[in-house]
Amino acid sequence: MTPVTLHTTRLVLRPWLDSDRQPFAALNADPEVMRYFPAPLLREESDAMADRIVLLMERQGWGFWAVERTPDKSFMGFVGLHQPEDLPFSPCTEVGWRLARPYWGCGYATEAARASLSFAFGQLGLSSVVAFTAVSNTRSQGVMRRLGMTLESPFDHPRLPDDHPLRPHVLYRITHDRFAR
């Protein structure tokens, strides 16, 4: 299936290019970007993640889009939709993001996530979309609130050990009706 491309005022959410792999690996290796994940990724792990993202996008036509800034076409990271498995609230569709540090604090994550939600509710016809993060990740929770998402419940991430400091997570949700307002 041909992957969809989305446009916002300042961004393009597009299918991945081979040239995205190096800057993607750099952001995945950045300890600050990966602060709320178990560990930074090695290049091989980052490439494997990119392979999974590309495969899903080719299979369904949407997913975690590569995000580039319109004026200079610089790769910023990814934003988009995913259907996580084996979580207490699955089946669901999540909106998620990971941007390189130079792009933090500029509203890019919110702008791209809003385009992703518009696609989710418009083209995919979903009734709700979730987002989740570690309890300590207040920046991402701020994006979730700016999107109009509401805190639904805490949960323990099942893929992290019981004693891991990032195991406590929070779940946010937005419905089609709330997004339409």
Side-chain angles (χ1 to χ4, degrees), residues 23-37 40 67 69 74-78 97-109 139:
F24 185 55
L27 80 87
N28 285 327
D30 183 332
E32 191 60 25
V33 171
M34 299 302 286
R35 179 181 197 180
Y36 300 105
F37 293 91
V67 178
R69 208 165 42 181
S74 60
F75 174 85
M76 302 167 63
F78 72 77
W97 48 86
R98 186 178 306 167
L99 299 178
R101 271 193 288 164
Y103 306 108
W104 292 4
C106 302
Y108 293 130
R139 289 181 70 107

Side-chain angles (χ1 to χ4, degrees), residues 114 117-118 121-122 127 147-148 174-181:
R114 192 167 281 124
L117 288 172
S118 183
F121 294 128
S127 59
L147 291 169
I174 188 166
T175 63
H176 175 272
D177 292 342
R178 181 171 171 94
F179 184 74
R181 285 181 276 178

Side-chain angles (χ1 to χ4, degrees), residues 13-127:
L13 286 70
R14 59 163 172 75
W16 288 64
L17 306 171
D18 284 340
S19 60
D20 297 331
R21 288 176 180 270
Q22 191 285 322
F24 185 55
L27 80 87
N28 285 327
D30 183 332
E32 191 60 25
V33 171
M34 299 302 286
R35 179 181 197 180
Y36 300 105
F37 293 91
L41 300 182
L42 300 172
R43 176 63 191 252
E44 305 79 46
E45 295 168 318
S46 180
D47 285 347
M49 182 180 186
D51 289 341
R52 289 189 301 275
I53 291 170
V54 167
L55 181 65
L56 281 170
M57 188 161 286
E58 288 173 351
R59 186 177 301 153
Q60 59 197 18
W62 54 272
F64 284 140
W65 287 279
V67 178
E68 68 179 37
R69 208 165 42 181
T70 303
D72 60 11
K73 297 189 178 205
S74 60
F75 174 85
M76 302 167 63
F78 72 77
V79 178
L81 305 168
H82 180 68
Q83 295 174 317
E85 299 174 1
D86 303 329
L87 293 175
F89 42 87
S90 294
C92 62
T93 299
E94 71 164 308
V95 61
W97 48 86
R98 186 178 306 167
L99 299 178
R101 271 193 288 164
Y103 306 108
W104 292 4
C106 302
Y108 293 130
T110 304
E111 183 176 331
R114 192 167 281 124
S116 299
L117 288 172
S118 183
F119 178 83
F121 294 128
Q123 286 86 336
L124 298 181
L126 299 180
S127 59

